[in-house]
Amino acid sequence: MPTPLFRTRSLPAAATLLLLAACAGAPGGRVASEAPAPDPESLLADGDAALERDELPEAARAYRRAAEASDDEAVAEQAAQAAFDNSQYGEALLAAERWLALNPTSEQARRIAGVSALELHRLEAADTHLAPLLETGFVSPAAGFLALLPVLADHGTAPDVTALFRRLVARHASVAEGHYALGAAALSSENFALALESARRATSIAPYWAPARMLLGRAMIASGQEEAGLAACRDLVLAPEADVATHLEYAMLLAATGRDEEARAVLTPYASGSTVVPGAVRGLGVLDLQRGDLAAATRRFEQLLATGAQSYDALYFLGTIADRREDPERALRYYAKVAGGEFALPAQARVARIRADQSGLEAGLAHLDEFAHGHPQSAPDVVAARAGLASSLGETGRALSILEAGIAQYPDSLDLRMARVFAYERVGKSDAAIRDLRGLLEQRPGDAVVQNALGYTLADRNRQLDEAAALVSAALEQTPDSAAVLDSMGWVLFRQGRLREALVLLERASDLGEDVEIDLHLGEVQWALGDPAAARKTWQAALERRPDDPRLKERLQQAGP
C-alpha cells in the first residue's frame, strides 16, 4: 500500500483513556500541558547518531522527521539525499516530497522522488515527479529521455521501467528519443512487439538517426527476424558516416547471433595498428574466451589492460581465465583489483568464495563486508551476495539469517525480499515463501516479478491453480517474451492438465532461453504426452550443456534407458 506522506501512530487504549481524562480535568477541556514540538536540530542529531551506528532505517526516519519539522530547505535536501544514498526509498520519497513542498522548482528533489517511487513500484507517483523534469530539467525533452534511460534502467524492475516510459512518452509522442527509450526498455523487459513498434516509431520520426535504426535492427532480431535485422544494421555500418561505435555494436550483434567469424572480421581492424580501440580488443577477448581459447583471450585482455581503458573489465576477465585454469591464487590477485565498474561485485564475490574455500565462510563474509563499507550504493546487493555465498557452502540457515538482517536494514529492497523467498524454497519452507510473496503483492499490486513468482510457486505446489494462472497471465501481459514467465505459464497449464497448451509455451520458452528448469518442465510435458523418447532427448541435450547438474542426472536415471 502507498506510504502516507505524514505517518502517524495509533495510541494504545490505556494511553487514550489517560489522554481523555487529562482533557476532562483541564479548563475548557484542553490538555493542561502540551508536549513540545519536535526540534529539528535534535532530530538531525538523532539521525547522525543512528547513521554512525549504521542503523539506516532509523537514521532516514529521523532525518525525514527533521525535514517535516523544519522550514529550511537544506534540512529536507539532507534528509532526501541521505535516505536515497542509503537505499531507504520510502523515506527518500517522503523527504523529497517535503523538499518539493518547500521548493517546488527543485529538480534534484524531483529526481530523487521519481526514482524512489519507481523503486517502490509507485508508477503514478514516479510519473508525476519525472514528467515535469523532462520539461524543465534538461535542454529539451529529447535530451531528458536519453539522460533518464540509463538512470531508470538501474532502478526498479524492467517491466516497471517500461510502464513508466509508456506514461512519459504519451506526453511527447513526436519525440524520437522518447520512443527510442521506450523501445530499449521494452527489449529489457522482454516485450519484443512493443520494442519493435517503438523503434519503428523512432525511425519514422528521425529516419537518419543511427541509434534508432540500430535499435530497430536489435528489435527485429529479438522478434525472430534475424536476417532482416542484421541487414538493417549492416546498412548502417556500410554508410559513409558510420562511426566506430556503430561498427562495434554490429559486431556484438553478429556474435550474439552465432556469427563469430563475421564479428571477428569487423573487430580485428580496430584491435591493431596505430590506433587501437579498446572496445574492439575487449570484444575479441570475449569471443576467444567463449570458444575456450584461454591463451588468445589472455593476450587480448593483457592488451586491453595496457591501453589503460576498461581496466576493471580486463582484470575481471583475466581473473576468469585464471579461474578456468584452476589457479585460485592468480585469480584472487586479478579479482581483488576490480574496484569499480559493472564487474566489481561479481569479482569481489569470487574473492569471497576463494577466501571462504581457503579459510572458511567467515573469511569470505568479512571480505564482502569490507567491500560494502566502501560501496554503500551496492550494499543491498552485497547482502544478497553474502547470503548466496553462505547458501553455496551449504549454510542455508546462515543465508536466511543474513537475508533477515539485510531486509531489516533495507526494507524497500525487492531483490532481498525475493532472495528470502528463494531461500525459503531451498529449505522447504514453501508456506513462508508464499506468505512473503502475498505480502509483497499487497505492497506492490500488479508487479510482474512478484506475480510470476507467486503464480509459479503455487503451481509448483499444485495449489490454487486458477489463482496461479491469473497471476502468471498478468505477468505475461507485461513480459510476453520472457522465457521465465512462459515457463511458469507452461507449468501452470501442465498442473491443470492442459498438456498441449503447456507444450507450446514450454517449447517457446526453451527457444528463448537456456535454463535447466525449462528443460526439466518441457521433458515432463513430453513424457506426460506419451513421448518418452522426446523427453529423454530434451533432458540429455540439457545435460550436455550442464554436465554437472544433479537434477538432470537424477531425472534421466529415473527415466531409464
Side-chain angles (χ1 to χ4, degrees), residues 469-495:
L471 287 165
V472 179
S473 292
L476 199 57
E477 287 181 9
Q478 298 181 61
T479 58
D481 302 297
S482 165
V485 183
L486 286 164
D487 172 62
S488 295
M489 195 70 240
W491 199 236
V492 170
L493 293 171
F494 170 75
R495 290 298 198 192

Side-chain angles (χ1 to χ4, degrees), residues 440-486:
L440 271 172
L441 196 58
E442 184 177 352
Q443 296 168 17
R444 305 170 65 95
D447 186 313
V449 172
V450 182
Q451 288 173 324
N452 177 60
L454 178 54
Y456 175 79
T457 302
L458 290 172
D460 206 40
R461 300 297 175 270
N462 216 7
R463 295 163 57 176
Q464 289 98 39
L465 294 181
D466 288 343
E467 180 188 3
L471 287 165
V472 179
S473 292
L476 199 57
E477 287 181 9
Q478 298 181 61
T479 58
D481 302 297
S482 165
V485 183
L486 286 164

Side-chain angles (χ1 to χ4, degrees), residues 74-89:
V75 176
E77 178 180 359
Q78 178 185 352
Q81 198 68 59
F84 187 81
D85 289 346
N86 288 289
S87 305
Q88 306 297 313
Y89 297 113

